[in-house]
Amino acid sequence: MPSVVTALTIILLLVLVLPFKSKKVEENLEPFFLLMGSIAALTLFFSGIMSIGQLKHLVGIALRTPLFISGKPIGITQVVFIAGLFFYYFHSQVNNAILGLYRRVGPFWFSVIFVTLFGLVSSIISVIVTAVILAEIAAALPVSRHARIKFVVIAAFAVGMGAALTPVGEPLSTIAISKLGESFDYLLRLLGPLIVPGVVAVSFYAGYELRKEAARETGSKEAFAGEYGETLRTITWRAVKVYMFVMALELLGNSFTPLVKWYFSKIPAYILYWVNMVSAILDNATLTAAEIAPFLTEAQIKSALMGLIISGGMLIPGNIPNIVAAGRLKITSKEWARIGVPLGLVLMSIYFILVEVLKL
């Protein structure tokens, strides 16, 4: 077992470090994650922890997950592709509508309205649909690339937080409800008083940042550098890359489940809250499946879930909105981390005080 722990730890470090250190890895993030996920799964197989039947089952899950939602033949891959086609054929009308509203209400209230709306609606229409629409809105904004990236990274935190409020929103909440045997509105009651104000606060921060960037760029040619540049080929290839990414996260997350069960379950809640920052690079739904159980206290459940939800926004692999937005806007790992990591640490600190110190 020590050798397996060492191997998985090395894989985790490679996944965390190489996208920032190697330009080649950064430019080929999806196949890199798929390779690391495959190596992690094979590590468990050759060590005897995973049988050939379990390995085949895991590969089957990884192949199906990007194509299915709740057992239905529509998943993130199809949503990204179909939405891409829609915006390809109707981008002029959509862009004009977005620009019209942006100029009418200004960058601050535009951000507040849309980030709050999508942050809360993501729990109803699913995080996947929300992420696709949000990415297209960001792409249409009449601001520089840097301002767009800042807007979409901040908004992704709100969307990831809001999606956790119901089982419809994202896999994390679906698995949590299923494992706890609770009602549909359980997470809304448990986490809503923490998450809803957080979504609103993040939306105001997004508005502040977009207004600041827009004011700085006034009169600059860069501020209007957002021409629509999609082709049918790029739309198709993006859907393929999303498929690879989600498949890779399934392999990685499930391969790290033994490690989570061996060690994470023994960690006190207040430490586990911070340890769960690994969900910034691993599938938080898998971590939820490994950590959440009916015998946990409500305080432990709240602490574990909030750590997973917040840290998911810090890096591109952490959440579906991140993956979709990064693919659409061609955001690199470094660009996302420069904004996502500091913001994530601030939010983690605030919620740690609320959950672990004040016991809200």
Side-chain angles (χ1 to χ4, degrees):
M1 191 171 75
S3 60
V4 176
V5 173
T6 301
L8 291 177
T9 302
I10 291 172
I11 292 170
L12 188 64
L13 290 173
L14 290 174
V15 167
L16 181 61
V17 173
L18 283 185
F20 301 100
K21 294 295 184 181
S22 170
K23 189 169 181 62
K24 193 167 186 178
V25 169
E26 188 175 43
E27 292 173 348
N28 297 278
L29 201 59
E30 297 83 6
F32 168 71
F33 266 77
L34 188 56
L35 175 63
M36 291 294 101
S38 301
I39 293 173
L42 290 173
T43 297
L44 296 186
F45 172 68
F46 285 115
S47 66
I49 295 174
M50 183 182 291
S51 67
I52 184 65
Q54 290 172 319
L55 180 61
K56 288 180 179 178
H57 179 67
L58 174 56
V59 172
I61 290 174
L63 289 169
R64 291 192 303 270
T65 298
L67 300 174
F68 292 85
I69 298 177
S70 302
K72 299 178 181 178
I74 182 70
I76 182 172
T77 303
Q78 298 98 308
V79 171
V80 168
F81 180 68
I82 293 169
L85 290 179
F86 173 83
F87 286 108
Y88 175 77
Y89 287 108
F90 298 100
H91 65 269
S92 295
Q93 295 91 323
V94 173
N95 282 13
N96 288 338
I98 293 171
L99 290 173
L101 182 59
Y102 177 88
R103 287 164 181 154
R104 191 172 300 119
V105 301
F108 179 81
W109 287 111
F110 180 91
S111 295
V112 171
I113 292 168
F114 273 102
V115 176
T116 301
L117 175 65
F118 285 123
L120 299 178
V121 163
S122 62
S123 64
I124 302 172
I125 65 173
S126 90
V127 71
I128 298 172
V129 175
T130 306
V132 171
I133 299 172
L134 180 65
E136 291 296 336
I137 289 174
L141 292 178
V143 292
S144 67
R145 170 181 164 78
H146 173 72
R148 278 191 209 103
I149 291 174
K150 185 175 286 189
F151 168 79
V152 84
V153 172
I154 297 170
F157 274 93
V159 171
M161 291 164 65
L165 292 176
T166 75
V168 177
E170 65 168 330
L172 176 148
S173 48
T174 305
I175 291 171
I177 290 293
S178 175
K179 291 207 69 179
L180 294 170
E182 292 287 351
S183 61
F184 182 90
D185 65 339
Y186 173 74
L187 292 180
L188 180 62
R189 289 184 281 109
L190 179 70
L191 303 178
L194 292 168
I195 286 179
V196 173
V199 169
V200 175
V202 169
S203 73
F204 272 84
Y205 176 60
Y208 166 77
E209 287 293 337
L210 188 61
R211 181 173 61 185
K212 182 176 70 174
E213 292 292 334
R216 185 176 63 82
E217 295 165 0
T218 300
S220 169
K221 292 181 180 179
E222 187 186 16
F224 298 93
E227 297 89 357
Y228 185 84
E230 293 282 271
T231 66
L232 292 177
R233 182 178 180 179
T234 59
I235 291 167
T236 303
W237 181 233
R238 183 165 64 249
V240 171
K241 290 200 294 184
V242 166
Y243 180 94
M244 283 195 291
F245 217 148
V246 176
M247 180 181 175
L249 290 178
E250 281 291 331
L251 291 173
L252 273 173
N254 282 283
S255 297
F256 276 88
T257 298
L259 202 62
V260 173
K261 289 181 176 178
W262 293 337
Y263 298 105
F264 282 37
S265 59
K266 302 173 184 177
I267 299 174
Y270 66 93
I271 298 177
L272 183 60
Y273 176 87
W274 293 103
V275 173
N276 272 341
M277 282 199 297
V278 296
S279 73
I281 54 173
L282 296 179
D283 178 29
N284 58 17
T286 303
L287 292 172
T288 300
E291 293 179 20
I292 301 302
F295 58 79
L296 297 177
T297 66
E298 196 167 87
Q300 289 174 314
I301 293 169
K302 186 183 295 185
S303 180
L305 290 178
M306 288 306 300
L308 292 170
I309 292 166
I310 300 301
S311 57
M314 295 170 74
L315 299 174
I316 292 175
N319 222 335
I320 294 299
N322 314 7
I323 296 170
V324 173
R328 173 64 181 90
L329 300 174
K330 298 179 175 60
I331 304 172
T332 67
S333 297
K334 291 178 184 176
E335 288 174 325
W336 191 287
R338 284 192 194 104
I339 301 164
V341 171
L343 176 57
L345 290 174
V346 169
L347 289 173
M348 289 285 288
S349 300
I350 292 171
Y351 277 105
F352 180 79
I353 294 171
L354 293 176
V355 174
E356 293 295 340
V357 178
L358 300 180
K359 302 295 183 183
L360 295 182

